[in-house]
Amino acid sequence: MTAFRFSLALMALLSLSACITSPMYTSRVEARYPPAGEFVSFEGEELHVVRRGEGRPVLMIHGASGNLREFSFTLAPHLEDAPVELIMVDRPGHGYSGRFGDAYELGEQARAMAAAVQAGGGEPVVVVGHSFGGAVALRFALDYPELTRGIVLSAPVTHDWGSGGVTWYNKIASIPAIGHAFSQFAPLVGPDIARSSLESLFSPAPVPEGYAENLGVDLLFRPPNFRANAHDLINLRDELSVQEARYARELNVPVVLFSGTYDTVIKPSLHAARLRRDSPDHVVLVPLEDEGHMPHHAKAALIAETIARLARGESVQTSDFLNVTG
C-alpha cells in the first residue's frame, strides 16, 4: 500500500471511530450533566432556562465555550439572600438550548434572551454578561431598553478588536460540511485540552476547586455545540463592528464593568476602556489588578452586591470601588 493510500485509510478509520465515539460521548455527558431548568419555546427550538429566587429579575448570560452553569455555583449563591429572581439561560446552541437560523447574530441572541425574560413576566431586568455574554448583554440593552434596568459586565468583549483572536480549530469547525466532520473529533481531545487551559484563563486568580465539573465543560464537545460555538466566534468581529457604533448614542442605562488587568483572553484596552470612552456618563469601569478573564468567581461577593444594588434601583459610582481598585 502506498503512503497516500495508507493515509486515506487511516483518515477513514479515524473518521469512523469518531462517528461511533461521538454519540456515546454525548449520551454519557448528558447523563452526567442533565438539564436543570425549564424549556421556553422559541423559533421552533427550545431555550433552557434556570430560575432561582424571588424578586427583581436578573438575566445572566454566559460566554463562549460555556453554559448557564458558569454562574450557578459561585456567583448565584451570593445572591440567594437578595430579593432577586435569577434567570440563567443557555445561549442558542449551548448547553441545552436549541440552535436556530442566524443564531450567531448578536441581535438574534438578544432576541432569544428577551423571550426568556418575557416568559417570566417581562419585568425590566439587570443584565449580567461574561465575555461573549457581555456583547449579548449590551445588545439586549440596545434593542430592548424597555426591558433593561441596568448592566453588570465581567471581562466583556465589546468592540471589533482588529485581527486574530479565533483559533484554527474554530475556523475549521465553522466551515460547511468540513466542519461537521471535523467536530466529530472534538470529544476525543477537547475535554483534556479544555481542562489544561483553565489556569491561564483564571490567572493570576486561582481556578476554583471543581470548576470543570461544576461547569460541565464536557458539554461543549458534543459536535453540534462545538460547531455552534465556532460559528459564534467566527462571526463576532463583524457583529461587533456594527454594534459598537450604537453605544455612544443608545446606551442609556447604568453599566458597571469589572475588568481583570491580567486578562489574556481579551485586551481590556480594546474593550473595557473603549466602552468607557464611548459612554462615559453611563459606564463605571472597575479594574481588578489581581484578576484575569474570570473575575465573577473570586470577586463573586463584590459583583453580587453590585447586581443587587442595581436591582434595587440604587446608583453605583466609581468612588464606590476605590478600595477595590487601589
Side-chain angles (χ1 to χ4, degrees):
M1 182 183 293
T2 65
F4 177 70
R5 288 180 178 178
F6 177 79
S7 297
L8 288 178
L10 180 60
M11 289 176 64
L13 181 61
L14 288 172
S15 297
L16 177 61
S17 174
C19 288
I20 294 172
T21 300
S22 293
M24 295 172 58
Y25 174 88
T26 295
S27 297
R28 185 172 67 252
V29 167
E30 292 183 352
R32 188 171 185 177
Y33 306 105
E38 64 188 64
F39 288 90
V40 174
S41 296
F42 182 76
E43 292 293 327
E45 297 288 345
E46 291 185 317
L47 300 174
H48 180 223
V49 183
V50 170
R51 301 180 191 271
R52 288 189 189 173
E54 296 181 357
R56 294 279 179 86
V58 175
L59 172 66
M60 311 185 87
I61 309 175
H62 67 84
S65 306
N67 59 75
L68 62 78
R69 292 170 178 259
E70 178 65 47
F71 301 109
S72 65
F73 57 96
T74 51
L75 186 55
H78 284 276
L79 288 159
E80 286 179 351
D81 296 328
V84 298
E85 179 194 24
L86 302 182
I87 307 169
M88 294 175 279
V89 187
D90 281 332
R91 292 193 294 105
H94 298 261
Y96 284 96
S97 287
R99 189 75 166 181
F100 60 90
D102 296 330
Y104 63 85
E105 295 180 3
L106 292 176
E108 289 297 284
Q109 298 218 5
R111 191 163 69 91
M113 298 301 107
V117 171
Q118 290 163 338
E123 182 181 348
V125 298
V126 173
V127 193
V128 180
H130 168 240
S131 194
F132 190 112
V136 181
L138 288 165
R139 185 55 170 263
F140 181 94
L142 294 170
D143 289 357
Y144 305 95
E146 74 283 359
L147 291 179
T148 309
R149 188 182 302 276
I151 307 172
V152 176
L153 302 174
S154 174
V157 57
T158 62
H159 290 69
D160 178 354
W161 57 90
S163 62
V166 180
T167 57
W168 63 269
Y169 51 82
N170 282 318
K171 292 179 180 178
I172 295 176
S174 66
I175 300 173
I178 294 174
H180 188 279
F182 177 77
S183 67
Q184 304 303 313
F185 292 94
L188 302 179
V189 296
D192 288 339
I193 293 175
R195 283 170 171 77
S196 66
S197 67
L198 291 179
E199 187 172 342
S200 62
L201 195 66
F202 281 86
S203 181
V207 180
E209 185 176 354
Y211 174 78
E213 297 306 310
N214 284 320
L215 177 66
V217 68
D218 298 339
L219 290 167
L220 167 66
F221 300 103
R222 296 169 296 171
N225 299 80
F226 190 73
R227 292 194 299 275
N229 189 64
H231 279 104
D232 285 352
L233 293 171
I234 286 292
N235 289 283
L236 182 57
R237 274 188 56 210
D238 288 343
E239 288 292 302
L240 285 171
S241 68
V242 175
Q243 177 169 301
E244 66 186 44
R246 300 176 59 185
Y247 298 147
R249 66 179 186 273
E250 297 182 49
L251 194 57
N252 296 314
V253 296
V255 180
V256 184
L257 193 164
F258 295 91
S259 177
T261 302
Y262 289 93
D263 191 340
T264 58
V265 177
I266 64 167
K267 290 185 177 181
S269 61
L270 297 180
H271 300 277
R274 291 170 70 185
L275 186 66
R276 174 79 173 97
R277 288 195 297 270
D278 285 347
S279 188
D281 294 334
H282 297 96
V283 177
V284 172
L285 175 58
V286 186
L288 300 170
E289 298 174 359
D290 56 351
E291 290 289 339
H293 190 60
M294 310 290 280
H296 53 289
H297 289 278
K299 296 296 187 296
L302 173 67
I303 295 175
E305 175 57 25
T306 302
I307 293 168
R309 290 180 61 185
L310 289 181
R312 292 192 298 263
E314 297 177 11
S315 174
V316 178
Q317 307 294 330
T318 300
S319 58
D320 297 333
F321 301 97
L322 291 181
N323 62 326
V324 177
T325 61

